[in-house]
Amino acid sequence: MNRKLRMGMVGGGSDAFIGAIHRHAAFMDGQIELVCGCFSVNPEISLSSGKSYFLPESRIYKTYQEMFEKEAKLPEDERMDFVTIVTPNFLHFDPAMMALDYGFNIVIDKPITFTLDEAIQLKSKLEETGLLLALTHTYSGYPAVKQAKQMIAEGQLGKIRKVFVEYSQGWLSEKVEAQGNAQASWRTDPKRSGKAGAMGDIGTHAHQLAEYITGLKTTELCAELNVLVPGRQLDDDGAVLLRFENEVSGVLMATQIATGEENALRIRVYGDKGGLEWAQMEPNSLILKWLKKPMEIYRTGTSSTNSYAMSNIRISGGHPEGYLEAFANIYRNFSYHLRATMNEEQPKPEWLDYPGIEDGIRGMQFIDTVVKSGYNNDVKWVAFE
């Protein structure tokens, strides 16, 4: 197969934020092209958005149901190869299930579904169809994060003992959802966002990053959730004590009322031989702290970078690679994997390194467990299941 992969979209119209990010990321490596979409629940917005993306009107759909039905009837050399779902949380599950029913692979925004039960159903359907799914936990796409993951897997830090991960934002320090902010409006609405606010939105990112880098699964947690802006329906702040496999403990903090903060995601992992630290706002640096030798700073693109990091680097050392590139790495690895599958070829291990259905289920388990612990004064530690 010597062509670009054909992508459809559900959501991501001209009035949306994350849709443009997905398109930039998908197109960055020249592997993917947009061929169709239902870009909004409003047919007029879907049509105007599709036209602005230079799509023919015949491939701009009023509903995602119409899109899947009509795309499936097109010849194989015309119809989309996969669909990207970039709707609010409550509109993830139905289009994802329908896409699989019609034989289309999926890229989907996090959290993967509205409820844990939906995520489990989606996994069952995915296994039934044998199709591929990528979940856009963006921060696992940074080369320095992949460097950290591999170093821990190789035992360079020794036995892992402690994990600290935090994600601080300040954009919800005021009740902007009452001031016409569309992003805040749906993210703070339990009917559209789900049972968790800050923990569902950015806490899931922090938790996925901790499990991804360490390779350890959470076994139980003890949470405190807070609503600090009067009148808000969902948590905007919280802290979680974590217990991982192998007697490893951790602390997770997620807040959206840290006034003045932007996207301050940071992780520290400590073993009995050394520790590491990475911060999303300084993404090209991985700090290594050793028990018996001086601190080191690994820089993205240098000769010391391992194969998993190098396969996700586009430019030479000293040139910053940021959020869009990390996002694009998920699309690139997914597209390489999908292309290999379509060509009946064996994908390289590095191409399989992107979040998928298991990360999605872990994220929904995290949300359920945090809410169960954080809003019940009689409950402390809750098993992660």
Side-chain angles (χ1 to χ4, degrees):
M1 184 182 72
N2 186 25
R3 62 168 175 81
K4 292 185 178 182
L5 293 173
R6 296 185 288 264
M7 179 178 83
M9 289 194 83
V10 176
S14 56
D15 59 336
F17 158 70
I18 201 65
I21 302 296
H22 277 266
R23 287 189 294 275
H24 289 316
F27 302 158
M28 187 172 289
D29 294 290
Q31 297 291 314
I32 296 166
E33 62 179 338
L34 180 67
V35 297
C36 67
C38 171
F39 302 103
S40 173
V41 294
N42 183 326
E44 293 182 359
I45 294 177
S46 182
L47 180 60
S48 63
S49 298
K51 287 182 176 180
S52 72
Y53 308 149
F54 303 104
L55 295 177
E57 287 193 33
S58 62
R59 304 293 290 277
I60 306 169
Y61 300 102
K62 295 180 179 180
T63 67
Y64 66 80
Q65 293 92 338
E66 178 193 21
M67 183 178 80
F68 293 134
E69 290 169 1
K70 290 188 175 179
E71 287 292 313
K73 294 177 181 178
L74 291 175
E76 287 189 15
D77 61 352
E78 291 183 28
R79 64 173 175 251
M80 65 179 174
D81 297 306
F82 73 95
V83 62
T84 290
I85 300 170
V86 292
T87 52
N89 303 351
F90 77 105
L91 281 175
H92 285 184
F93 177 69
D94 285 343
M97 290 290 281
M98 191 171 187
L100 294 174
D101 279 332
Y102 277 89
F104 297 114
N105 302 280
I106 300 172
V107 176
I108 191 168
D109 222 357
K110 50 63 55 191
I112 195 164
T113 51
F114 196 65
T115 67
L116 175 58
D117 181 64
E118 287 180 347
I120 293 170
Q121 290 183 59
L122 188 59
K123 178 184 178 180
S124 178
K125 176 65 70 173
L126 197 66
E127 292 173 345
E128 175 188 321
T129 61
L131 296 167
L132 303 184
L133 180 148
L135 180 66
T136 52
H137 269 297
T138 315
Y139 307 105
S140 61
Y142 280 101
V145 167
K146 296 185 181 298
Q147 175 80 20
K149 176 182 175 66
Q150 196 66 15
M151 294 181 76
I152 290 174
E154 292 170 355
Q156 295 188 40
L157 300 188
K159 182 186 183 304
I160 301 304
R161 292 171 166 173
K162 196 76 178 181
V163 180
F164 296 94
V165 62
E166 60 182 283
Y167 199 152
S168 298
Q169 295 177 336
W171 73 293
L172 293 181
S173 293
E174 297 179 324
K175 197 177 180 184
V176 292
E177 60 266 37
Q179 302 170 14
N181 186 310
Q183 289 296 314
S185 178
W186 77 260
R187 291 177 191 274
T188 59
D189 179 0
K191 293 180 180 179
R192 291 182 286 172
S193 182
K195 63 177 66 176
M199 281 296 168
D201 191 15
I202 60 176
T204 50
H205 272 310
H207 181 257
Q208 192 269 343
L209 186 66
E211 290 199 338
Y212 177 79
I213 285 182
T214 65
L216 298 170
K217 301 299 184 185
T218 310
T219 58
E220 56 183 344
L221 59 77
C222 178
E224 177 189 59
L225 298 182
N226 304 303
V227 181
L228 297 180
V229 173
R232 183 163 286 157
Q233 299 183 71
L234 293 172
D235 60 285
D236 49 24
D237 172 79
V240 186
L241 297 176
L242 300 168
R243 287 176 181 160
F244 296 92
E245 302 166 313
N246 302 335
E247 300 181 335
V248 177
S249 64
V251 180
L252 183 152
M253 294 183 291
T255 182
Q256 293 176 313
I257 49 81
T259 306
E261 291 289 358
E262 297 174 351
N263 281 279
L265 173 61
R266 178 186 180 214
I267 187 168
R268 291 170 289 157
V269 181
Y270 297 98
D272 58 11
K273 294 180 181 179
L276 61 79
E277 178 178 343
W278 178 80
Q280 197 263 157
M281 294 179 69
E282 183 59 45
N284 277 28
S285 295
L286 179 65
I287 300 173
L288 280 300
K289 302 174 183 180
W290 302 107
L291 181 64
K292 296 182 178 180
K293 61 181 180 180
M295 183 180 76
E296 298 175 328
I297 300 177
Y298 278 51
R299 292 285 293 166
T300 295
T302 64
S303 58
S304 59
T305 305
N306 62 44
S307 66
Y308 280 81
M310 285 300 297
S311 67
N312 290 277
I313 291 172
R314 294 172 175 78
I315 50 181
S316 58
H319 297 89
E321 296 199 48
Y323 179 81
L324 279 176
E325 288 84 355
F327 216 121
N329 284 337
I330 294 173
Y331 270 98
R332 182 169 65 175
N333 291 344
F334 170 79
S335 68
Y336 285 170
H337 184 193
L338 178 55
R339 187 182 298 278
T341 300
M342 294 171 71
N343 289 337
E344 299 183 350
E345 298 171 350
Q346 184 66 33
K348 293 181 179 180
E350 289 85 353
W351 299 350
L352 306 178
D353 183 25
Y354 60 85
I357 186 64
E358 293 300 335
D359 298 82
I361 289 176
R362 298 292 296 175
M364 298 311 300
Q365 289 174 323
F366 173 77
I367 290 171
D368 272 15
T369 312
V370 161
V371 169
K372 184 177 181 181
S373 175
Y375 284 137
N376 189 339
N377 292 330
D378 296 327
V379 175
K380 293 185 178 180
W381 288 93
V382 178
F384 200 91
E385 56 187 13

